[in-house]
């Protein structure tokens, strides 16, 4: 399965990506995670990306496209992948078409997680991410046993710099202006499946897996 996840910031893409990728045995490729690991590793790419991420803006297409092109050419992505966070605008979607064509592959499906903006703000203000294993928690909806300590690996949790209210508002504007047109773009091609992403994590996972099952090869 070659799957793209779309949805506003905080829709639960990263949370669902873990379960979906495991269920269909495909690698999860998150552009946000790749950027964040470059930021924490102090690489040139990380230095470049950080100023855009902190402001809630998109990293320039040429940087992001080259990174995704390299990642999709790796062996583990040949038989399938889940892309979380890419494409993020119609130009990136056309770039993905080109990458797929060059690899003689095509996308199976685009899964759209639908959630309203008030819920996004609630989810992002309470999100805590593990520095060590990257697992995502929520102080209210999915709390850890001990505050700020990951139940999975014992790592320290942090609040993402782009999860503070002003930046979240800006990310939602960027989503509406640049990313939401992708919903019409893929719908027009008959590649879009939308699900309601409200409800418990388990309910949403169940809906996602049921919606994707017909596309599993
Ligand atoms: P990225 O990391 O992709 O951020 P995003 O798309 O804004 O999405 P988030 O990670 O914020 O949210 P999510 O949908 O994954 O939600 P989550 O599962 O964590 O991108 C960050 C930045 O990188 C961008 O702003 C940009 O600068 C750059 N970037 C990345 N890709 C790029 C690209 N292609 N081009 C250019 N720039 C790019 O869930 C959120 C919270 O809700 C968690 O606490 C979770 O526990 C909780 N939760 C999840 N599901 C539920 C549920 N059902 N009920 C209750 N709580 C839930």
């Amino acid at each position: 399965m070659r799957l793209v996840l779309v949805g506003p910031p905080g829709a639960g893409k990263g949370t669902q990506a873990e379960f979906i990728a495991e269920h269909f045995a495909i690698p999860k490729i998150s552009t946000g995670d790749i950027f964040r690991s470059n930021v924490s590793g102090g690489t040139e790419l990380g230095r470049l990306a950080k100023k855009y991420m902190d402001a809630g803006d998109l990293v320039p297409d040429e940087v992001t496209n080259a990174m995704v092109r390299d990642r999709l050419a790796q062996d583990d992505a040949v038989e399938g992948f889940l892309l979380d966070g890419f494409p993020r605008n119609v130009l990136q979607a056309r770039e993905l078409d080109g990458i797929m064509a060059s690899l003689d592959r095509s996308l199976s499906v685009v899964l759209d997680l639908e959630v309203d903006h008030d819920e996004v703000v609630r989810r992002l203000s309470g999100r805590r991410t593990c520095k060590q294993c990257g697992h995502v928690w929520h102080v209210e909806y999915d709390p850890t046993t001990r505050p700020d300590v990951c139940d999975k690996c014992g790592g320290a949790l942090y609040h993402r710099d782009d999860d503070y209210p002003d930046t979240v508002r800006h990310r939602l504007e960027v989503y509406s202006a640049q990313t939401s047109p992708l919903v019409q773009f893929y719908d027009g091609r008959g590649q879009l499946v939308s699900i309601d992403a409200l409800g418990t994590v388990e309910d949403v996972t169940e809906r996602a897996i049921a919606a994707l099952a017909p596309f599993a090869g």
Side-chain angles (χ1 to χ4, degrees), residues 52 92 103 107 134 157 171 182 195 211:
Y52 297 98
Q92 291 186 5
L103 298 171
L107 278 186
L157 305 187
R171 285 163 64 201
L182 283 179
I195 61 164

Side-chain angles (χ1 to χ4, degrees), residues 10 12-15 31 36 57 59 85 88 92 127 137 171 199:
K13 300 182 296 298
T15 302
T31 44
R36 278 184 289 279
D57 286 322
V59 179
R88 208 68 163 223
Q92 291 186 5
R127 170 162 62 185
W137 301 93
R171 285 163 64 201

